[in-house]
């Protein structure tokens, strides 16, 4: 009697565990990014050495960009934390996708597997999977192992064997690939809200600028300059962060699509090879057993 857990249940359990780990990682990154940004904003950008008279309430020194950024107001550390999050999650996704690809290029690996399948060298294809490693190789290896199992099966029809191989590949894909999309939703969200947050800081800056103009008598030139500076700095940070997040999201999405296509191509080759080898006779190539 087979007491091993079903592949679908195992995949669901593994995905739930990985989802919990990814969520904890995301929360830690978000909290640390804001804390680091706040400390840098307050103690580095806001240091008195960047301002006239050594007071960060005064105008920044000419050409001192750290002091200029500090004048962006309280929205600046929020935008800085978003920028750090985009960079951190992009690095994490790059490492994860690179690990999923394996040791060699995906195109070379898939080509090798197809050549081994065309030569009916299943063991050679399994060796190629062991050498490649990564999520793509794991899915292909699961399909090849099911191929060997179905080749020895004598009680099932060929169509049933093909469906069993296809199901094994689909379940292995469901187990391996979902982790590739983790945290991409955070990057896509940052791409949207970074611009809106920057615009919010722009509005606050313009409010301060017009408040300086509305004073009786001569306008407060310092307050006016600070308000305009706050508006422009927040706009620049928001647009820059959003642009970086959009580029990162599109890049990683294309890489995931490439991996998915490679798995589909290798899986199709496995199924077609099995159907071609065993289509005419489900028991072809099997040794005759005598009792």
């Amino acid at each position: 009697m087979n007491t091993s857990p079903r592949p679908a249940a195992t995949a669901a359990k593994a995905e739930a565990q990985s989802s919990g780990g990814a969520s904890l990682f995301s929360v830690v990154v978000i909290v640390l990014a804001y804390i680091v940004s706040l400390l840098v904003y307050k103690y580095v950008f806001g240091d008195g050495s960047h301002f006239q008279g050594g007071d960060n309430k005064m105008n920044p020194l000419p050409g001192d960009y750290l002091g200029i950024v500090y004048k962006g107001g309280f929205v600046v550390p929020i935008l800085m934390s978003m920028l750090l999050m985009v960079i951190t999650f992009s690095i994490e996704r790059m490492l994860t996708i690179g690990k999923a690809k394996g040791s060699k290029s995906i195109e070379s690996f898939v080509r090798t597997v197809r050549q081994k399948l065309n030569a009916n060298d299943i063991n050679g294809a399994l060796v190629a999977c062991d050498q490649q490693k990564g999520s793509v190789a794991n899915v292909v290896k699961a399909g090849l192992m099911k191929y060997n199992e179905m080749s020895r099966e004598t009680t099932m029809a060929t169509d049933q064997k093909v469906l069993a191989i296809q199901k094994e590949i689909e379940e292995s894909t469901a187990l391996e690939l979902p982790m590739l999309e983790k945290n991409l939703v955070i990057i896509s969200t940052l791409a949207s809200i970074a611009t809106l947050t920057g615009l919010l800081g722009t509005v606050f800056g313009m409010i301060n600028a017009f408040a300086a103009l509305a004073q009786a008598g001569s306008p407060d030139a310092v307050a006016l300059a600070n308000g305009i500076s706050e508006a422009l700095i927040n706009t620049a940070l928001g647009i820059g962060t959003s642009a970086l997040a959009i580029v990162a999201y599109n890049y990683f999405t294309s890489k995931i699509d490439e991996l998915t296509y490679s798995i589909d191509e290798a899986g199709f080759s496995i199924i077609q090879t099995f159907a071609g080898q065993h289509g005419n006779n489900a028991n072809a190539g099997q040794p005759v057993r005598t009792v």
Side-chain angles (χ1 to χ4, degrees), residues 49-176:
S49 61
H50 304 301
F51 301 90
Q52 297 176 357
D55 186 0
N56 58 19
K57 296 181 180 179
M58 303 297 293
N59 285 335
L61 295 174
D64 194 320
Y65 291 102
L66 296 182
I68 293 174
V69 172
Y70 179 81
K71 287 301 180 179
F74 71 93
V75 181
V76 169
I78 299 177
L79 291 171
M80 288 173 58
S81 65
M82 292 182 182
L83 180 60
L84 283 178
M85 280 185 269
V86 171
I87 294 174
T88 302
F89 288 125
S90 296
I91 294 174
E92 186 266 340
R93 286 296 89 194
M94 189 176 299
L95 294 175
T96 300
I97 293 177
K99 183 179 179 181
K101 290 175 63 177
S103 58
K104 301 178 182 178
S105 67
I106 292 296
E107 294 81 4
S108 176
F109 168 68
V110 174
R111 185 166 56 251
T112 300
V113 170
R114 295 185 67 177
Q115 291 173 351
K116 298 293 185 182
L117 288 173
N118 291 334
N120 200 25
D121 184 7
I122 305 302
N123 291 330
L126 288 171
V127 172
C129 293
D130 292 334
Q131 294 175 347
Q132 176 72 11
K133 300 180 181 180
S135 296
V136 176
N138 290 340
V139 174
V140 175
K141 183 177 180 180
L144 292 172
M145 293 177 66
K146 195 68 174 180
Y147 183 109
N148 279 337
E149 180 183 342
M150 291 296 102
S151 297
R152 296 188 296 268
E153 176 62 48
T154 59
T155 61
M156 297 173 61
T158 302
D159 291 342
Q160 293 177 321
K161 295 179 182 180
V162 170
L163 289 175
I165 296 174
Q166 184 176 0
K167 183 178 180 181
E168 181 69 20
I169 294 174
E170 291 174 353
E171 290 177 347
S172 299
T173 302
L175 176 64
E176 294 287 346

Side-chain angles (χ1 to χ4, degrees), residues 4 14-15 25 28-29 39 47 88 132 142 155 158 170 174 184 186 188 198 203 210 215 236 244 255 271 273 280 288:
S4 60
E15 183 177 353
F25 172 78
V28 171
V29 169
L39 293 176
D47 187 80
T88 302
Q132 176 72 11
T155 61
T158 302
E170 291 174 353
L184 281 185
I186 297 179
S188 64
V203 171
F210 282 109
Q215 292 183 0
L244 180 61
K255 289 298 181 182
I271 294 173
T273 301
N280 295 328
V288 179

Side-chain angles (χ1 to χ4, degrees), residues 86 90 184 187 242-254:
V86 171
S90 296
L184 281 185
I187 295 178
S242 178
L244 180 61
I246 291 173
V247 171
Y249 178 81
N250 291 334
Y251 173 79
F252 294 127
T253 300
S254 65

Side-chain angles (χ1 to χ4, degrees), residues 269-282:
S269 298
I270 293 172
I271 294 173
Q272 288 297 104
T273 301
F274 185 89
Q277 293 289 336
H278 304 272
N280 295 328
N281 185 0

